[in-house]
Amino acid sequence: MAGETRDDTHLAMLDALSRKALWLSNWMIHHANHIRPNASGVKVGGHQSSSASMTAIMTALYFDVLRPEDRVAVKPHAAPVFHAIQYLFGRQTLDKLKAFRGLGGAQSYPSRTKDTDDVDISTGSVGLGVAFTAFASIVQDYIRAKSWARPDMPEGRMIALVGDAELDEGNVYECLLEGWKQGLRNTWWVIDYNRQSLDGVVREGLYDRIAAIFKAFDWRVVTIKYGARQRAAFAEPGGERLRAWIDACPNGLYSALMYQGGAAWRARLQDDLGDQGDVSALIARRDDAELADLMANLGGHCLESLLDAFHGIDDDRPTVFIAYTVKGWGTPLAGHKDNHSGQMTEAQIHALRDAMGVRAGHEWAPFEGLGIDEAVLRAFLDRVPFNTGASRRLSAAPVAAIGPQAVGGASTQATTSTQTAFGRIMDAIAKTDTDLARRIVTTSPDVTVSTNLGGWVNRRALFAADEIADIFQRQRIPSAQKWHFSPQGQHIELGIAEMNLFLLLGAAGLAHELFGERLLPVGTLYDPFISRGLDALNYACYQDARFMVVATPSGVSLAGEGGAHQSIAQPLIGMSQDGLASFEPAFADELAVIIDWGFSHMQRTGAKTPDPVSFLPDAAGGAVYLRLSTRPVDQPRRAMTPALADAIITGGYWLKAPEPGCEVVIACQGVAMTEAVAAAGLIGGARRNVAVLAVTSADRLHAGWLAAEKARAEGARAEGAMDAVSPVERLLDQVPDHAGIVTVIDGHPATLAWLGGVNGHRVAALGVDHFGQTGTVEDLYAHYGIDAQGIAAAARRFTRGRRRRG
Ligand SMILES: Cc1ncc(C[n+]2csc(CCOP(=O)(O)OP(=O)(O)O)c2C)c(N)n1
Ligand SMILES: [Mg+2]
């Protein structure tokens, strides 16, 4: 195997491939920006310097160190290097490289869902891919503790290739602390320590801070500072003086000299070290080009040093490699403080091409100019461990749902809250001896008990690599919670950081593809704090992770908690977040149907084409968001028919159907249903028909409507069928044109205001549009006009208005 026979030929091979990866990544960006037609004139972009900085690190890893079971998050702006390497492996097409950053082309930042060259972990929002690796490792441990791990799949290392400025992101530190608590293993972070970010050169002394932080969390710190040629020079007479000069050189000056080249290095070194005997002679022995090469030979660009460092690790302790690099290494952009988005000129790229031995017109040739026989290179690539085996994207058979009846232990209560019902449903599932129960893994950022997961945890225990008994139980101190940790446990208790919650849900929600084992992750948190983890939630959805996030309390319904604990925008987040089916049920029986459906939805992987009835792309599956409340609500006494269950999943149904003379519809999502029903009673009656539309998912009704609109538009364009009708249109088709709709939600009124656009009904959109107060629910609902009186008042405007307009 490569890596085990590290002789000169092997190094020469790697060096050739490194040069090729450097060239192809730079050319890919040049081609996209300067050769491919670009009618709009809008910058295409791409990061030549950030790619160059990482080339040797990625060469050492991909062509030697990595094993098929390892999983890698590549620094987003090194995507071109990743695509180039996959191209050399024969796993990326030339067409995709030519279309880099174009429609259907290789993606700007590595993407699991959009790229076709086997991206392990998407990146783009800096810091998230880094932390994701830690949670992927925890998920790997979880699976192995259950003895599910596939016998053909050894334990992998979860590896992040990290830009040094990514360490500015707070989520990195949140994850370090969580990792320490969880006994993190098998995690490598390789920091591309080029001491430049986007805007410029970083502060002096950063290395010491970084190293100290990692050591504080019990990580091994491996510093790869000097290349082999530098180390050889340090061994020459006077070499120690040169090393001391390098160590003392400020980051900005080193970068500037890198940019200026050999003559500038000589002038500066002579100023500082001239007439000093051995070291002056050491410098004088080298011509300008050799001197520049020596000073550029930092550890992160030296394959030998990198391989030594990586192969030096033979245990599972989390390890950070701080690899000193130069941003733009090997290109004329090297070291310039503005090089982040800088690109080579035509003349510069041609000069680089010539230096690479690549002929004009042969820029994409994978093996041109390497001085090694193509057959030898191909044979080498075929033997590279990472390149052996089939697709790295694994799969796992779906776990069967158990039906809403089996999970619906809550529906017998006359009055209950959706959050109480959630706890009972989870408890009911926990009692079953089913694969579904076994594959669920729950997690919560220090709000397990207050989000009602206590019953589940009591039955299914907490996860930890080693048993930890519940001391309170042992001491016979009464407590409703049994907190027993064991490798069999199925709840991962997190610290408060919501970013970590969504990163873990993302990693666990990809267990089937990363590790070939199905997990059904359920995470609970406080609804307003979705915003705290929002980018990680978006990131999990972007990666197509499958999970269920259950958030309470909705809106101002936990009225006593006040503005900081009340959520307003969350229903709009639920609607606008791609890949997330969002529900806000009012009743417990709806919740049972939704949860049962949700576990199946989390496992579907079909086509994204809209269903002909719901107009939702449900065959493709996705993640699920449930917005619940702690407020008790009177429950309807009814049988759950298949038709009702379908409507609940589609997004809405008539709680009180419109009659032909209907003047007002009250459309309500979630916990304000109590007020909606009461308002209908106030204004309806013998004389006037008031209908009540129970919306379980504005998200899905809205998405179905847009999809039907699109289908009609396409039909019109093609002069084909235009008869697509979405569920919300079928519902509102029953409402007379002159009727008005009052929409009600404990959340932002825009969530339902669009209902007026469907058939042109007038709308009064009620909801919460300012920070909440403390008070009782009655106080607050009256304050926002979503109490029964407020709803009735809004409805009266319609009935009077109609008469006036006669
Ligand atoms: C969350 C987030 N904020 C900002 C950006 C824009 N951005 C992309 S790269 C970058 C600088 C990264 O510097 P570093 O990590 O040191 O990478 P280098 O290019 O130096 O290797 C910034 C600010 C981003 N991608 N994500
Ligand atoms: Mg940097």
Side-chain angles (χ1 to χ4, degrees):
M1 277 204 300
E4 287 171 4
T5 53
R6 187 135 56 82
D7 51 21
D8 288 349
T9 330
H10 182 75
L11 273 180
M13 206 85 76
L14 292 185
D15 184 55
L17 292 167
S18 182
R19 271 185 288 132
K20 186 52 79 180
L22 176 69
W23 163 250
L24 284 172
S25 55
N26 276 288
W27 178 250
M28 197 184 307
I29 297 165
H30 182 81
H31 179 271
N33 284 273
H34 303 291
I35 298 179
R36 202 168 63 209
N38 176 8
S40 73
V42 172
K43 178 186 108 168
V44 177
H47 304 85
Q48 290 181 327
S49 298
S50 304
S51 294
S53 191
M54 236 344 157
T55 307
I57 293 170
M58 291 176 68
T59 300
L61 286 169
Y62 280 93
F63 293 116
D64 184 308
V65 177
L66 294 181
R67 298 293 176 266
E69 61 273 18
D70 298 331
R71 297 285 177 266
V72 190
V74 176
K75 176 183 85 170
H77 32 305
V81 185
F82 174 79
H83 296 312
I85 288 173
Q86 294 294 75
Y87 175 63
L88 294 174
F89 278 140
R91 291 172 184 255
Q92 174 64 291
T93 66
L94 178 56
D95 285 348
K96 297 259 180 203
L97 296 193
K98 286 185 171 170
F100 173 62
R101 285 183 169 245
L103 189 64
Q107 293 296 292
S108 323
Y109 308 109
S111 169
R112 283 182 64 81
T113 49
K114 304 223 160 71
D115 274 316
T116 51
D117 49 352
D118 245 356
V119 170
D120 288 334
I121 298 168
S122 304
T123 54
S125 177
V126 297
L128 294 181
V130 183
F132 185 92
T133 57
F135 291 99
S137 179
I138 292 167
V139 169
Q140 177 175 249
D141 283 352
Y142 180 92
I143 288 170
R144 296 183 84 83
K146 303 288 180 291
S147 317
W148 295 331
R150 298 155 53 123
D152 58 333
M153 193 160 158
E155 210 163 70
R157 293 163 296 195
M158 304 298 119
I159 300 175
L161 310 182
V162 187
D164 44 4
E166 291 197 70
L167 298 177
D168 288 336
E169 291 288 0
N171 81 272
V172 168
Y173 303 95
E174 295 175 357
C175 123
L176 280 175
L177 185 51
E178 191 61 52
W180 174 79
K181 291 184 206 165
Q182 305 282 346
L184 184 68
R185 304 155 65 230
N186 292 313
T187 305
W188 283 13
W189 290 357
V190 186
I191 299 177
D192 176 357
Y193 193 55
N194 60 27
R195 290 147 290 157
Q196 284 186 246
S197 60
L198 192 159
D199 282 339
V201 179
V202 305
R203 288 280 166 93
E204 293 308 313
L206 184 65
Y207 169 85
D208 294 322
R209 310 303 129 213
I210 294 176
I213 285 167
F214 280 94
K215 283 177 190 157
F217 290 112
D218 229 2
W219 283 53
R220 178 195 287 109
V221 177
V222 176
T223 305
I224 314 172
K225 183 162 186 182
Y226 315 107
R229 285 199 294 288
Q230 284 191 346
R231 290 198 305 274
F234 300 155
E236 292 176 25
E240 275 308 318
R241 299 287 311 279
L242 179 66
R243 182 212 290 261
W245 185 92
I246 291 177
D247 286 352
C249 181
N251 294 330
L253 177 61
Y254 209 95
S255 291
L257 291 170
M258 275 302 312
Y259 179 71
Q260 290 168 301
W265 278 116
R266 185 176 307 285
R268 182 68 198 211
L269 288 169
Q270 250 158 12
D271 273 357
D272 291 354
L273 299 173
D275 300 327
Q276 296 194 22
D278 288 341
V279 68
S280 312
L282 186 158
I283 295 163
R285 273 197 295 281
R286 287 155 171 95
D287 67 20
D288 282 355
E290 286 167 341
L291 188 58
D293 177 67
L294 177 67
M295 300 309 279
N297 184 235
L298 296 177
H301 300 299
C302 172
L303 291 165
E304 251 181 286
S305 309
L306 288 162
L307 292 174
D308 281 346
F310 294 141
H311 286 298
I313 307 301
D314 59 4
D315 60 22
D316 61 9
R317 183 170 169 203
T319 299
V320 60
F321 300 89
I322 306 179
Y324 276 72
T325 55
V326 172
K327 192 155 170 171
W329 186 89
T331 77
L333 307 171
H336 196 291
K337 71 179 179 61
D338 306 336
N339 64 7
H340 187 79
S341 48
Q343 291 182 10
M344 280 179 258
T345 62
E346 191 94 355
Q348 287 174 324
I349 195 93
H350 288 165
L352 185 68
R353 182 183 64 198
D354 295 344
M356 292 284 172
V358 173
R359 291 165 295 163
H362 294 250
E363 288 86 356
W364 298 107
F367 303 110
E368 169 112 353
L370 296 180
I372 300 178
D373 187 57
E374 180 171 334
V376 175
L377 278 165
R378 283 190 187 279
F380 173 83
L381 287 170
D382 287 343
R383 288 197 315 275
V384 167
F386 184 81
N387 200 26
T388 54
S391 167
R392 304 165 54 69
R393 193 68 55 95
L394 307 175
S395 62
V399 173
I402 59 176
Q405 297 316 319
V407 303
S411 52
T412 51
Q413 297 214 311
T415 304
T416 192
S417 73
T418 43
Q419 200 211 49
T420 302
F422 168 69
R424 283 168 170 264
I425 289 168
M426 291 304 290
D427 198 41
I429 296 173
K431 282 187 208 156
T432 67
D433 178 19
T434 55
D435 277 342
L436 181 86
R438 277 185 282 278
R439 294 289 169 157
I440 289 174
V441 52
T442 56
T443 180
S444 184
D446 203 24
V447 290
T448 300
V449 176
S450 50
T451 55
N452 239 340
L453 268 179
W456 163 270
V457 174
N458 283 348
R459 288 185 199 281
R460 293 274 163 176
L462 293 108
F463 170 71
D466 301 307
E467 300 271 342
I468 310 173
D470 183 336
I471 300 287
F472 276 71
Q473 245 197 322
R474 268 211 187 145
Q475 303 285 338
R476 299 181 196 288
I477 300 171
S479 161
Q481 309 303 324
K482 294 186 215 123
W483 282 66
H484 173 77
F485 290 80
S486 91
Q488 281 70 49
Q490 287 181 246
H491 176 76
I492 301 179
E493 177 71 6
L494 294 172
I496 307 174
E498 284 77 11
M499 281 296 231
N500 285 340
L501 171 76
F502 289 114
L503 284 160
L504 175 57
L505 289 175
L510 286 172
H512 53 295
E513 294 193 349
L514 292 174
F515 305 115
E517 287 298 326
R518 179 75 59 184
L519 292 180
L520 297 168
V522 177
T524 64
L525 81 163
Y526 290 177
D527 200 46
F529 304 134
I530 283 181
S531 302
R532 180 69 84 99
L534 193 52
D535 201 23
L537 169 62
N538 178 58
Y539 176 63
C541 292
Y542 179 61
Q543 299 213 76
D544 198 23
R546 304 306 180 83
F547 54 88
M548 188 180 285
V549 57
V550 184
T552 40
S554 58
V556 299
S557 67
L558 190 57
E561 286 285 298
H565 275 65
Q566 294 165 342
S567 69
I568 296 173
Q570 272 56 12
L572 296 175
I573 291 171
M575 286 180 84
S576 54
Q577 182 62 57
D578 194 14
L580 191 66
S582 304
F583 295 90
E584 187 174 354
F587 303 120
D589 60 351
E590 296 172 352
L591 183 64
V593 167
I594 293 165
I595 288 181
D596 182 64
W597 174 88
F599 285 128
S600 297
H601 187 66
M602 285 157 62
Q603 303 184 70
R604 283 192 270 264
T605 53
K608 271 211 160 103
T609 37
D611 173 87
V613 179
S614 70
F615 282 88
L616 294 165
D618 280 349
V624 179
Y625 162 36
L626 311 181
R627 186 174 189 251
L628 307 183
S629 172
T630 54
R631 181 189 180 202
V633 170
D634 289 344
Q635 301 294 307
R637 291 191 174 281
R638 60 186 175 189
M640 183 53 64
T641 62
L644 178 56
D646 270 0
I648 288 167
I649 295 307
T650 306
Y653 62 92
W654 290 113
L655 195 61
K656 191 165 176 301
E659 289 167 13
C662 173
E663 294 176 34
V664 176
V665 170
I666 302 174
C668 177
Q669 172 168 295
V671 70
M673 195 63 79
T674 304
E675 283 67 28
V677 171
L682 283 179
I683 53 176
R687 279 193 310 121
R688 187 174 290 142
N689 178 250
V690 177
V692 179
L693 182 66
V695 178
T696 48
S697 174
D699 173 29
R700 290 168 57 80
L701 285 183
H702 183 256
W705 176 48
L706 292 197
E709 287 275 342
K710 191 166 169 232
R712 289 192 289 264
E714 276 163 11
R717 208 177 303 155
E719 294 188 17
M722 286 173 52
D723 51 1
V725 183
S726 66
V728 73
E729 290 164 310
R730 278 195 288 276
L731 287 166
L732 294 184
D733 281 352
Q734 301 173 41
V735 179
D737 291 349
H738 65 261
I741 305 176
V742 183
T743 67
V744 186
I745 182 170
D746 187 345
H748 199 278
T751 310
L752 292 170
W754 59 272
L755 283 171
V758 175
N759 276 354
H761 291 107
R762 288 168 300 160
V763 161
L766 307 184
V768 179
D769 50 2
H770 296 289
F771 291 116
Q773 317 282 335
T774 47
T776 63
V777 177
E778 293 72 25
D779 291 338
L780 267 57
Y781 278 20
H783 178 78
Y784 289 105
I786 53 173
D787 58 341
Q789 298 295 346
I791 297 168
R796 275 186 211 108
R797 292 209 309 257
F798 292 135
T799 45
R800 285 196 211 117
R802 186 173 74 84
R803 279 191 205 108
R804 213 175 28 244
R805 284 164 51 170

